[in-house]
């Protein structure tokens, strides 16, 4: 005997994972100067009560001022007088370098109360103005190991519950200025 349940009596619930608690702080000394490696310290602290596996992503936003005005050509931070015009800002962290996105820098598993410190370098070329960085810290619960082999991680493609991840975003605007300004003029004097 089958019973029909009216749809109005059925309840649907969505279960969501509790967001991970990470504290992200950025330290830097403004302003940045053109053609220098400008250091930015990224301090990430696990203030959650769980261990978290953490990755870092950095996106350097393109600017409208790149290549505007007095176009200069650079090779390894040195202005050239010929060749193609290259005025690309870029960021470096560890061994990674990009004029756009650096993705998936592993920071390891952070226990509750533990911090990790990363140093990012911004190199600005072209014209003075603001440079914008989007910093994304992605966290997830550490992967469980397979019951048959305690040292083999479970494949991320295997069927199972939804992955418990959280993304913490920070946007940083770095004012960038010309380190030196010089004006030249010619004056004639009688002897």
């Amino acid at each position: 005997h089958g019973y029909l349940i009216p749809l109005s009596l059925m309840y649907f619930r969505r279960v969501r994972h509790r967001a991970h608690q990470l504290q992200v702080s950025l330290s830097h000394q403004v302003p940045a100067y053109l053609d220098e490696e400008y250091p930015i310290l990224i301090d990430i602290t696990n203030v959650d009560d769980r261990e978290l596996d953490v990755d870092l992503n950095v996106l350097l936003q393109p600017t409208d001022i790149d290549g505007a005005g007095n176009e200069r050509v650079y090779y390894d931070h040195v202005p050239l007088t010929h060749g193609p015009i290259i005025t690309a800002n870029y960021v470096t962290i560890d061994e990674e370098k990009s004029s756009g996105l650096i993705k998936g820098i592993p920071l390891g598993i952070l226990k509750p109360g533990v911090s990790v410190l990363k140093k990012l370098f911004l190199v600005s070329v072209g014209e003075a103005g603001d440079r914008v960085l989007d910093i994304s810290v992605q966290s997830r619960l550490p992967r469980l190991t397979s019951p048959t082999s305690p040292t083999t991680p479970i494949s991320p493609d295997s069927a199972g519950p939804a992955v418990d991840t959280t993304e913490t975003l920070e946007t940083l605007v770095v004012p960038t200025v010309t380190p030196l300004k010089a004006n030249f003029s010619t004056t004639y004097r009688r002897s």
Side-chain angles (χ1 to χ4, degrees):
H1 300 357
Y3 294 99
L4 293 176
I5 300 174
L7 286 177
S8 61
L9 296 177
M10 297 177 75
Y11 295 99
F12 295 98
R13 294 200 177 182
R14 177 179 286 181
V15 177
R16 294 184 183 180
H17 295 285
R18 178 172 52 113
H20 304 156
Q21 301 298 313
L22 286 174
Q23 181 179 2
V24 178
S25 65
L26 307 172
S27 302
H28 58 105
Q29 299 292 323
V30 294
Y33 296 108
L34 291 174
D35 308 320
E36 77 163 345
E37 286 190 337
Y38 177 72
I40 301 166
L41 293 176
I42 305 169
D43 187 5
I44 301 159
T45 304
N46 180 0
V47 293
D48 208 314
D49 58 357
R50 303 168 283 180
E51 289 185 352
L52 299 174
D53 190 4
V54 181
D55 290 338
L56 176 66
N57 304 310
V58 178
L59 174 65
L60 175 59
Q61 294 286 349
T63 64
D64 294 334
I65 57 177
D66 288 346
N70 298 328
E71 294 175 332
R72 292 181 277 177
V73 179
Y74 290 84
Y75 176 75
D76 198 23
H77 309 299
V78 178
L80 299 176
T81 57
H82 62 283
I85 295 171
I86 304 169
T87 56
N89 302 306
Y90 65 90
V91 289
T92 61
I93 189 167
D94 294 340
E95 301 300 318
E96 302 288 328
K97 176 179 175 180
S98 177
S99 61
L101 175 65
I102 296 178
K103 185 172 182 171
I105 301 290
L107 302 179
I109 296 175
L110 299 182
K111 295 185 182 230
V114 173
S115 296
V116 65
L117 186 65
K118 278 291 188 183
K119 187 180 277 191
L120 168 74
F121 291 97
L122 168 66
V123 177
S124 300
V125 298
E127 297 299 316
D130 291 342
R131 304 304 193 263
V132 179
L133 294 162
D134 289 327
I135 297 169
S136 162
V137 178
Q138 294 180 333
S139 58
R140 66 194 150 282
L141 295 179
R143 297 188 192 276
L144 300 174
T145 56
S146 168
T148 58
S149 172
T151 59
T152 306
I154 294 175
S155 168
D157 299 328
S158 64
V163 179
D164 181 3
T165 61
T166 299
E167 183 174 29
T168 305
L169 297 171
E170 292 286 335
T171 298
L172 179 64
V173 178
V174 178
T176 305
V177 298
T178 305
L180 297 173
K181 289 188 179 183
N183 292 324
F184 299 96
S185 62
T186 304
T187 304
Y188 295 98
R189 295 183 180 173
R190 292 183 181 179
S191 55

